[in-house]
Amino acid sequence: MTVSHDYDPGPQIAHAGSINLGTKNLDRSLWFFRDLLGMEVTAQADGVAYLRGYQELTHHSLVLTQQSEAAVNSYSFRVQRKQDVELFQKQLDREEIESIELAAGHETGRGEAIRFLLPGGEHPIELYYDIDKPIAEESLRSKLPSNSSRRRGFGVRRLDHLNVQCSPGTVNQAEGWLRESLGFKRREFAMIPDHPSTVMASWLSVTPQVHDIAIGINPLEQNGQFHHVAFNIENYADVLRIADEVRDLDIEYGAGPGKHGVGQAMYLYLHDPGSGHRVELYSGGYLIFDPDFEEIEWKLPELQYGQTWYGDLLDVGPQGTFLTTTPSAGLKP
Protein backbone atom coordinates (compact mmCIF):
# COMPACT_ATOMS: atom_id res chain seq x y z
CA MET A 1 0.00 0.00 0.00
CA THR A 2 1.34 3.40 -0.97
CA VAL A 3 1.21 6.05 1.75
CA SER A 4 0.98 9.67 0.63
CA HIS A 5 3.03 12.07 2.72
CA ASP A 6 1.15 15.00 1.21
CA TYR A 7 -2.13 14.18 2.95
CA ASP A 8 -3.41 17.02 5.13
CA PRO A 9 -6.51 16.32 7.27
CA GLY A 10 -7.20 20.05 7.56
CA PRO A 11 -7.64 22.00 10.80
CA GLN A 12 -8.72 19.97 13.79
CA ILE A 13 -9.71 20.52 17.42
CA ALA A 14 -7.51 18.78 19.99
CA HIS A 15 -9.57 19.14 23.17
CA ALA A 16 -11.54 21.51 25.39
CA GLY A 17 -8.87 23.90 26.64
CA SER A 18 -10.32 26.41 29.08
CA ILE A 19 -13.28 28.48 30.18
CA ASN A 20 -13.37 32.12 31.29
CA LEU A 21 -15.93 32.63 34.04
CA GLY A 22 -17.01 36.11 35.00
CA THR A 23 -17.55 36.39 38.75
CA LYS A 24 -18.98 39.14 40.92
CA ASN A 25 -16.79 38.07 43.84
CA LEU A 26 -13.31 37.02 42.75
CA ASP A 27 -12.07 36.37 46.28
CA ARG A 28 -14.97 34.00 46.97
CA SER A 29 -14.48 32.21 43.64
CA LEU A 30 -10.76 31.85 44.33
CA TRP A 31 -11.54 30.33 47.70
CA PHE A 32 -13.79 27.80 45.97
CA PHE A 33 -11.52 26.81 43.08
CA ARG A 34 -8.08 27.33 44.66
CA ASP A 35 -8.51 26.55 48.34
CA LEU A 36 -11.36 24.06 48.24
CA LEU A 37 -11.01 22.30 44.88
CA GLY A 38 -7.21 22.53 45.04
CA MET A 39 -6.50 24.22 41.72
CA GLU A 40 -3.18 26.04 41.29
CA VAL A 41 -3.13 29.76 40.52
CA THR A 42 -0.52 30.27 37.81
CA ALA A 43 -1.02 34.03 37.40
CA GLN A 44 -3.16 36.79 38.88
CA ALA A 45 -3.35 40.51 38.12
CA ASP A 46 -5.89 43.29 37.58
CA GLY A 47 -8.90 41.29 38.69
CA VAL A 48 -8.12 38.19 36.60
CA ALA A 49 -6.83 34.86 37.92
CA TYR A 50 -5.60 31.84 35.92
CA LEU A 51 -5.85 28.33 37.37
CA ARG A 52 -5.14 24.72 36.45
CA GLY A 53 -5.66 21.24 37.87
CA TYR A 54 -2.83 19.19 39.32
CA GLN A 55 -2.45 17.06 36.16
CA GLU A 56 -2.55 19.94 33.68
CA LEU A 57 0.87 20.97 32.41
CA THR A 58 -0.33 23.95 30.37
CA HIS A 59 -0.78 27.43 31.84
CA HIS A 60 -4.48 27.29 32.67
CA SER A 61 -7.84 25.67 32.07
CA LEU A 62 -9.85 28.17 34.09
CA VAL A 63 -9.89 31.96 34.02
CA LEU A 64 -11.75 33.88 36.72
CA THR A 65 -12.57 37.49 35.84
CA GLN A 66 -13.90 40.01 38.33
CA GLN A 67 -16.86 41.77 36.70
CA SER A 68 -20.35 43.08 37.39
CA GLU A 69 -22.18 40.21 35.68
CA ALA A 70 -21.74 36.50 36.28
CA ALA A 71 -21.41 35.51 32.64
CA VAL A 72 -19.16 33.17 30.67
CA ASN A 73 -16.68 35.27 28.72
CA SER A 74 -15.36 32.48 26.49
CA TYR A 75 -15.23 28.75 25.81
CA SER A 76 -11.76 27.87 24.48
CA PHE A 77 -10.56 24.87 22.50
CA ARG A 78 -6.98 24.04 21.67
CA VAL A 79 -6.31 23.03 18.07
CA GLN A 80 -3.99 20.26 16.87
CA ARG A 81 -1.38 22.41 15.11
CA LYS A 82 -0.24 26.01 15.20
CA GLN A 83 -1.39 26.62 11.60
CA ASP A 84 -4.87 25.36 12.44
CA VAL A 85 -5.75 28.69 14.06
CA GLU A 86 -5.29 30.48 10.75
CA LEU A 87 -6.89 27.63 8.78
CA PHE A 88 -10.00 27.74 10.95
CA GLN A 89 -10.18 31.50 10.49
CA LYS A 90 -10.13 31.04 6.72
CA GLN A 91 -12.85 28.43 7.06
CA LEU A 92 -14.97 30.87 9.07
CA ASP A 93 -14.43 33.49 6.38
CA ARG A 94 -15.66 31.08 3.71
CA GLU A 95 -18.76 30.38 5.80
CA GLU A 96 -19.24 34.14 6.28
CA ILE A 97 -18.99 33.82 10.07
CA GLU A 98 -17.57 36.94 11.70
CA SER A 99 -14.44 36.35 13.77
CA ILE A 100 -12.02 38.46 15.77
CA GLU A 101 -8.27 37.99 16.02
CA LEU A 102 -6.90 37.99 19.57
CA ALA A 103 -3.27 38.88 20.06
CA ALA A 104 -0.87 36.69 22.00
CA GLY A 105 -1.23 37.49 25.69
CA HIS A 106 -4.92 38.36 25.45
CA GLU A 107 -5.11 35.58 28.00
CA THR A 108 -1.92 35.43 30.04
CA GLY A 109 0.27 32.54 28.97
CA ARG A 110 -1.64 31.91 25.74
CA GLY A 111 -0.72 32.68 22.14
CA GLU A 112 -2.78 34.27 19.39
CA ALA A 113 -6.36 33.07 19.01
CA ILE A 114 -9.54 33.66 17.08
CA ARG A 115 -12.96 34.32 18.57
CA PHE A 116 -16.42 33.85 17.06
CA LEU A 117 -19.99 33.08 18.07
CA LEU A 118 -21.23 29.51 17.65
CA PRO A 119 -23.71 29.57 14.76
CA GLY A 120 -27.14 28.88 16.20
CA GLY A 121 -25.89 28.94 19.77
CA GLU A 122 -24.26 32.37 20.05
CA HIS A 123 -21.68 31.11 22.54
CA PRO A 124 -18.29 32.92 22.32
CA ILE A 125 -15.75 30.31 21.21
CA GLU A 126 -12.00 30.86 21.05
CA LEU A 127 -9.50 28.65 19.22
CA TYR A 128 -5.78 28.71 20.04
CA TYR A 129 -2.67 26.54 19.90
CA ASP A 130 0.28 28.18 21.67
CA ILE A 131 0.18 28.09 25.46
CA ASP A 132 2.90 28.26 28.10
CA LYS A 133 3.78 25.32 30.34
CA PRO A 134 5.00 26.93 33.55
CA ILE A 135 6.69 25.07 36.37
CA ALA A 136 4.83 25.31 39.67
CA GLU A 137 6.49 27.17 42.50
CA GLU A 138 8.73 24.89 44.54
CA SER A 139 6.36 24.54 47.50
CA LEU A 140 3.65 23.10 45.21
CA ARG A 141 5.75 20.81 43.01
CA SER A 142 5.12 17.09 42.86
CA LYS A 143 7.80 14.41 42.52
CA LEU A 144 5.66 12.98 39.71
CA PRO A 145 6.74 14.63 36.44
CA SER A 146 3.29 14.02 34.92
CA ASN A 147 1.73 16.24 37.58
CA SER A 148 2.03 20.01 37.38
CA SER A 149 1.66 20.31 41.16
CA ARG A 150 0.90 18.28 44.27
CA ARG A 151 -2.63 17.05 44.78
CA ARG A 152 -4.38 19.36 47.21
CA GLY A 153 -7.88 20.15 48.45
CA PHE A 154 -10.59 18.16 46.71
CA GLY A 155 -8.12 17.20 43.98
CA VAL A 156 -9.26 18.63 40.64
CA ARG A 157 -7.14 16.86 38.01
CA ARG A 158 -8.17 18.68 34.83
CA LEU A 159 -10.95 20.29 32.86
CA ASP A 160 -13.19 17.49 31.65
CA HIS A 161 -15.97 19.02 29.52
CA LEU A 162 -18.27 21.96 28.87
CA ASN A 163 -22.07 21.94 28.76
CA VAL A 164 -24.08 24.65 26.96
CA GLN A 165 -27.66 25.32 25.91
CA CYS A 166 -29.47 27.17 23.15
CA SER A 167 -33.02 27.60 21.89
CA PRO A 168 -35.01 24.64 20.50
CA GLY A 169 -35.28 26.50 17.21
CA THR A 170 -31.52 26.73 16.72
CA VAL A 171 -30.13 23.68 18.53
CA ASN A 172 -30.00 21.54 15.38
CA GLN A 173 -27.97 24.23 13.62
CA ALA A 174 -25.55 24.63 16.53
CA GLU A 175 -25.08 20.90 17.13
CA GLY A 176 -24.70 20.22 13.43
CA TRP A 177 -22.13 22.99 13.02
CA LEU A 178 -20.01 21.60 15.84
CA ARG A 179 -19.93 18.28 14.01
CA GLU A 180 -19.61 19.45 10.42
CA SER A 181 -17.30 22.46 10.82
CA LEU A 182 -15.29 21.71 13.96
CA GLY A 183 -15.17 17.93 13.59
CA PHE A 184 -16.85 16.86 16.82
CA LYS A 185 -18.33 13.36 16.78
CA ARG A 186 -21.77 12.72 18.19
CA ARG A 187 -21.40 9.99 20.80
CA GLU A 188 -24.75 9.87 22.60
CA PHE A 189 -27.90 11.90 22.00
CA ALA A 190 -31.61 12.27 22.62
CA MET A 191 -34.31 13.90 20.53
CA ILE A 192 -37.32 15.74 21.97
CA PRO A 193 -39.92 12.98 22.38
CA ASP A 194 -42.79 15.15 21.09
CA HIS A 195 -40.62 16.65 18.33
CA PRO A 196 -38.39 13.76 17.19
CA SER A 197 -36.61 15.84 14.55
CA THR A 198 -35.18 18.25 17.15
CA VAL A 199 -32.13 17.50 19.27
CA MET A 200 -32.87 17.63 22.99
CA ALA A 201 -29.29 16.96 24.05
CA SER A 202 -26.13 15.76 22.35
CA TRP A 203 -22.80 14.68 23.78
CA LEU A 204 -19.88 15.32 21.39
CA SER A 205 -16.15 14.71 21.46
CA VAL A 206 -12.92 14.84 19.49
CA THR A 207 -11.07 12.80 22.13
CA PRO A 208 -11.86 9.27 23.42
CA GLN A 209 -14.15 10.84 26.01
CA VAL A 210 -17.90 10.57 25.50
CA HIS A 211 -18.04 14.35 25.51
CA ASP A 212 -15.70 17.30 25.41
CA ILE A 213 -18.79 19.46 24.94
CA ALA A 214 -22.48 18.77 25.40
CA ILE A 215 -25.25 20.91 23.94
CA GLY A 216 -28.95 20.87 24.67
CA ILE A 217 -32.12 22.91 24.53
CA ASN A 218 -32.84 25.76 26.91
CA PRO A 219 -36.37 25.49 28.41
CA LEU A 220 -36.78 29.29 28.28
CA GLU A 221 -35.76 29.31 24.60
CA GLN A 222 -32.68 31.42 25.30
CA ASN A 223 -29.47 31.28 23.30
CA GLY A 224 -25.90 31.54 24.54
CA GLN A 225 -26.64 29.80 27.83
CA PHE A 226 -24.11 28.05 30.05
CA HIS A 227 -25.16 24.99 32.02
CA HIS A 228 -21.94 23.79 33.64
CA VAL A 229 -18.23 23.15 33.44
CA ALA A 230 -16.99 19.76 34.60
CA PHE A 231 -13.67 19.07 36.29
CA ASN A 232 -12.25 15.57 36.52
CA ILE A 233 -11.78 13.94 39.93
CA GLU A 234 -9.70 10.77 40.30
CA ASN A 235 -12.20 8.30 41.75
CA TYR A 236 -15.69 7.71 43.10
CA ALA A 237 -14.54 7.77 46.72
CA ASP A 238 -13.25 11.31 46.24
CA VAL A 239 -16.65 12.46 44.96
CA LEU A 240 -18.39 10.91 47.97
CA ARG A 241 -15.93 12.56 50.36
CA ILE A 242 -16.50 15.93 48.70
CA ALA A 243 -20.28 15.52 48.96
CA ASP A 244 -19.89 14.80 52.67
CA GLU A 245 -17.56 17.71 53.40
CA VAL A 246 -19.44 20.29 51.32
CA ARG A 247 -22.46 19.99 53.61
CA ASP A 248 -20.47 21.83 56.29
CA LEU A 249 -19.64 24.72 53.97
CA ASP A 250 -21.55 27.74 52.67
CA ILE A 251 -21.90 26.37 49.14
CA GLU A 252 -25.05 25.85 47.10
CA TYR A 253 -25.42 22.11 46.75
CA GLY A 254 -26.75 21.35 43.26
CA ALA A 255 -27.39 17.65 42.66
CA GLY A 256 -25.79 14.31 43.39
CA PRO A 257 -23.79 12.35 44.09
CA GLY A 258 -25.07 9.97 41.50
CA LYS A 259 -24.14 8.23 38.27
CA HIS A 260 -25.16 9.30 34.78
CA GLY A 261 -26.33 6.74 32.25
CA VAL A 262 -24.87 8.92 29.50
CA GLY A 263 -21.11 8.55 29.79
CA GLN A 264 -21.47 6.36 32.91
CA ALA A 265 -19.56 8.72 35.20
CA MET A 266 -20.28 9.68 38.80
CA TYR A 267 -21.30 13.30 39.25
CA LEU A 268 -21.69 15.95 41.92
CA TYR A 269 -22.99 19.40 41.01
CA LEU A 270 -22.07 22.46 43.06
CA HIS A 271 -22.32 26.20 42.48
CA ASP A 272 -19.33 28.53 42.71
CA PRO A 273 -20.29 30.80 45.64
CA GLY A 274 -18.60 33.79 44.02
CA SER A 275 -20.46 33.67 40.71
CA GLY A 276 -23.29 31.15 40.94
CA HIS A 277 -21.99 29.24 37.91
CA ARG A 278 -22.70 25.50 38.07
CA VAL A 279 -19.66 23.24 38.45
CA GLU A 280 -19.70 19.47 38.03
CA LEU A 281 -17.15 17.22 39.73
CA TYR A 282 -16.90 14.20 37.44
CA SER A 283 -15.26 10.82 37.92
CA GLY A 284 -15.10 7.60 35.94
CA GLY A 285 -16.97 7.04 32.71
CA TYR A 286 -16.05 5.02 29.67
CA LEU A 287 -13.67 5.84 26.82
CA ILE A 288 -14.18 5.29 23.09
CA PHE A 289 -11.40 3.78 21.01
CA ASP A 290 -13.33 2.07 18.20
CA PRO A 291 -13.03 4.10 14.98
CA ASP A 292 -16.43 2.75 13.90
CA PHE A 293 -18.23 3.56 17.16
CA GLU A 294 -21.93 4.09 16.44
CA GLU A 295 -23.68 6.98 18.16
CA ILE A 296 -26.16 5.94 20.83
CA GLU A 297 -29.68 7.35 20.92
CA TRP A 298 -31.61 7.52 24.19
CA LYS A 299 -35.36 7.07 23.83
CA LEU A 300 -38.30 6.67 26.18
CA PRO A 301 -38.69 4.87 28.52
CA GLU A 302 -34.94 4.37 29.05
CA LEU A 303 -34.25 8.10 28.64
CA GLN A 304 -34.64 8.67 32.39
CA TYR A 305 -31.56 6.51 32.98
CA GLY A 306 -29.47 8.79 30.76
CA GLN A 307 -29.48 11.60 33.32
CA THR A 308 -29.46 9.41 36.43
CA TRP A 309 -28.53 5.74 36.48
CA TYR A 310 -28.55 5.84 40.27
CA GLY A 311 -28.93 8.63 42.78
CA ASP A 312 -31.65 11.27 43.06
CA LEU A 313 -33.47 11.95 39.81
CA LEU A 314 -32.40 15.28 38.32
CA ASP A 315 -35.14 17.90 38.11
CA VAL A 316 -35.16 18.50 34.35
CA GLY A 317 -38.75 19.69 33.99
CA PRO A 318 -39.63 23.09 32.46
CA GLN A 319 -39.19 24.80 35.84
CA GLY A 320 -36.53 22.41 37.11
CA THR A 321 -33.68 23.89 39.10
CA PHE A 322 -31.21 21.62 37.31
CA LEU A 323 -31.87 23.49 34.07
CA THR A 324 -31.10 26.96 35.44
CA THR A 325 -28.32 28.58 33.45
CA THR A 326 -26.05 31.61 33.33
CA PRO A 327 -25.51 33.76 30.23
CA SER A 328 -22.54 34.05 27.88
CA ALA A 329 -20.81 37.19 26.65
CA GLY A 330 -21.03 38.42 23.07
CA LEU A 331 -18.50 38.53 20.24
CA LYS A 332 -16.47 41.43 21.62
CA PRO A 333 -14.20 40.23 24.43
Side-chain angles (χ1 to χ4, degrees):
M1 180 175 64
T2 301
V3 178
S4 172
H5 297 287
D6 297 327
Y7 172 70
D8 187 337
Q12 295 179 306
I13 303 294
H15 63 91
S18 67
I19 187 169
N20 186 319
L21 298 178
T23 174
K24 296 181 179 181
N25 189 332
L26 180 59
D27 289 340
R28 190 72 171 146
S29 292
L30 276 171
W31 169 79
F32 178 71
F33 288 104
R34 178 193 61 203
D35 303 335
L36 197 62
L37 299 190
M39 299 185 76
E40 174 197 355
V41 176
T42 57
Q44 183 177 352
D46 302 323
V48 183
Y50 298 82
L51 300 92
R52 63 181 177 181
Y54 74 86
Q55 287 187 342
E56 293 178 307
L57 301 179
T58 55
H59 189 273
H60 62 271
S61 62
L62 172 65
V63 185
L64 296 174
T65 303
Q66 177 76 51
Q67 58 191 49
S68 60
E69 181 184 17
V72 178
N73 296 314
S74 64
Y75 308 84
S76 293
F77 295 89
R78 195 176 187 196
V79 297
Q80 289 280 5
R81 308 169 301 179
K82 184 179 179 67
Q83 63 264 37
D84 286 350
V85 176
E86 181 180 357
L87 291 174
F88 269 122
Q89 185 172 36
K90 291 180 178 179
Q91 177 179 311
L92 293 171
D93 291 342
R94 290 194 297 270
E95 296 183 38
E96 298 184 343
I97 297 171
E98 183 180 2
S99 64
I100 295 174
E101 295 183 36
L102 302 176
H106 172 76
E107 284 193 359
T108 298
R110 197 183 72 176
E112 61 183 14
I114 57 171
R115 178 186 176 96
F116 60 94
L117 296 183
L118 172 64
E122 300 181 11
H123 301 83
I125 293 178
E126 295 181 0
L127 305 180
Y128 70 96
Y129 177 76
D130 288 324
I131 188 166
D132 293 346
K133 297 182 178 181
I135 303 298
E137 62 178 74
E138 189 171 356
S139 64
L140 294 179
R141 289 179 201 165
S142 171
K143 294 178 181 178
L144 289 169
S146 54
N147 287 358
S148 54
S149 66
R150 290 185 290 104
R151 178 175 172 174
R152 297 167 294 114
F154 287 163
V156 163
R157 302 165 82 187
R158 58 177 174 82
L159 175 69
D160 194 280
H161 63 266
L162 308 170
N163 188 301
V164 299
Q165 292 183 351
C166 56
S167 74
T170 61
V171 66
N172 283 5
Q173 178 190 4
E175 194 261 1
W177 193 88
L178 287 170
R179 291 188 288 119
E180 294 162 14
S181 293
L182 291 191
F184 284 92
K185 296 178 181 179
R186 180 193 277 174
R187 302 303 196 176
E188 303 192 29
F189 72 103
M191 309 301 280
I192 299 177
D194 294 337
H195 300 275
S197 63
T198 302
V199 170
M200 183 168 69
S202 177
W203 291 263
L204 307 141
S205 72
V206 290
T207 69
Q209 297 190 137
V210 171
H211 58 317
D212 301 305
I213 186 170
I215 188 166
I217 58 169
N218 181 267
L220 300 179
E221 300 189 4
Q222 295 174 314
N223 267 350
Q225 295 299 297
F226 168 67
H227 190 268
H228 69 263
V229 57
F231 291 98
N232 191 273
I233 302 293
E234 186 170 14
N235 56 59
Y236 283 11
D238 291 329
V239 176
L240 293 173
R241 177 177 67 88
I242 295 167
D244 186 43
E245 295 183 16
V246 160
R247 282 300 192 187
D248 274 330
L249 302 173
D250 186 19
I251 294 175
E252 184 181 345
Y253 202 102
K259 180 179 177 179
H260 291 306
V262 173
Q264 299 189 38
M266 176 170 274
Y267 63 84
L268 175 66
Y269 293 95
L270 306 173
H271 289 264
D272 165 29
S275 66
H277 295 302
R278 184 182 287 103
V279 175
E280 181 183 19
L281 302 180
Y282 189 89
S283 180
Y286 72 91
L287 299 175
I288 298 169
F289 298 104
D290 293 331
D292 57 351
F293 179 84
E294 296 184 8
E295 58 192 40
I296 296 169
E297 182 176 5
W298 288 85
K299 298 181 179 179
L300 293 173
E302 291 82 9
L303 182 58
Q304 63 176 318
Y305 300 131
Q307 289 288 352
T308 304
W309 177 242
Y310 62 73
D312 293 335
L313 292 179
L314 301 178
D315 187 358
V316 296
Q319 304 301 320
T321 57
F322 185 68
L323 290 186
T324 58
T325 56
T326 46
S328 300
L331 179 62
K332 305 295 183 181

